[in-house]
Amino acid sequence: MDLQDFSAELLYFDLQTSAAIKQRLQLAAEHYADGGAEAYLQQAYAEEQLNLSVLVALYRFQYYQHRHAEALHTADLAMNVAAESIGVPGHWRQLTPDHLAHGLSKSYTMVRFYLMALKGAGYLNMRLGELAEGVEMLNKVIELDSNDRLGAKVLLRSIGPTEVK
């Protein structure tokens, strides 16, 4: 499977989002520099905890604020939402190529989103000193992305000698 070769499907940010949530996300973007973004992001999250646009915005905010433990939690929430939408197991360790094939029948772009979130979570685990967990997550991405289109092998090799499949 080539994760760069996908048809024109809706992406997470193309999914239906209420005007109120769009406004909060816009205000968060406008107030990032002055320190006011988080309040708008938290309001959006309180209203729509399963909205991937909200989760991605919150994740990015936390990541760029170097709040990696919070960003990891948010990445996990996003993976759970994506997993449910494509009908695959809720925990990444349970995901097999057969599950991925099933997910692809529902949404190619959501499978790609899930794997990108898993790659990001693997990186965050490594930043937090949880090397074994991070390596395991990146190896799961590698197992499911045979052509390494998402770049998990490069990321894994950048940290030094590890098990790369």
Side-chain angles (χ1 to χ4, degrees):
M1 157 184 63
D2 188 345
L3 289 169
Q4 297 289 45
D5 184 26
F6 53 92
S7 61
E9 285 186 26
L10 293 178
L11 300 172
Y12 75 88
F13 50 80
D14 293 323
L15 300 174
Q16 188 172 7
T17 301
S18 71
I21 295 300
K22 286 180 183 177
Q23 181 183 30
R24 281 173 183 54
L25 295 178
Q26 180 61 39
L27 287 167
E30 291 170 7
H31 290 278
Y32 183 83
D34 66 23
E38 186 168 18
Y40 294 111
L41 292 171
Q42 291 299 336
Q43 289 171 7
Y45 178 73
E47 290 178 33
E48 292 191 28
Q49 295 178 359
L50 303 180
N51 183 308
L52 288 177
S53 291
V54 170
L55 290 172
V56 169
L58 187 59
Y59 169 86
R60 287 179 177 163
F61 175 81
Q62 293 162 337
Y63 176 84
Y64 289 114
Q65 294 290 313
H66 302 281
R67 292 162 44 182
H68 296 138
E70 292 172 70
L72 181 59
H73 175 72
T74 304
D76 189 53
L77 294 172
M79 286 190 296
N80 287 335
V81 171
E84 186 173 323
S85 76
I86 56 176
V88 299
H91 197 280
W92 61 269
R93 281 191 176 97
Q94 299 170 331
L95 194 62
T96 67
D98 287 340
H99 292 124
L100 200 66
H102 172 75
L104 289 169
S105 71
K106 294 187 175 233
S107 173
Y108 196 97
T109 57
M110 197 57 66
V111 166
R112 190 173 190 280
F113 176 93
Y114 180 93
L115 292 175
M116 290 295 291
L118 181 56
K119 177 185 167 191
Y123 172 77
L124 287 172
N125 267 299
M126 291 188 305
R127 289 289 305 261
L128 291 166
E130 300 294 334
L131 292 179
E133 181 87 353
V135 166
E136 190 177 351
M137 290 174 127
L138 291 175
N139 274 316
K140 178 58 83 168
V141 174
I142 291 165
E143 172 190 336
L144 299 170
D145 175 19
S146 58
N147 293 326
D148 195 35
R149 292 300 207 165
L150 303 179
K153 282 183 184 177
V154 172
L155 180 58
L156 191 54
R157 286 186 177 125
S158 73
I159 66 165
T162 59
E163 179 187 343
V164 178
K165 295 181 179 180

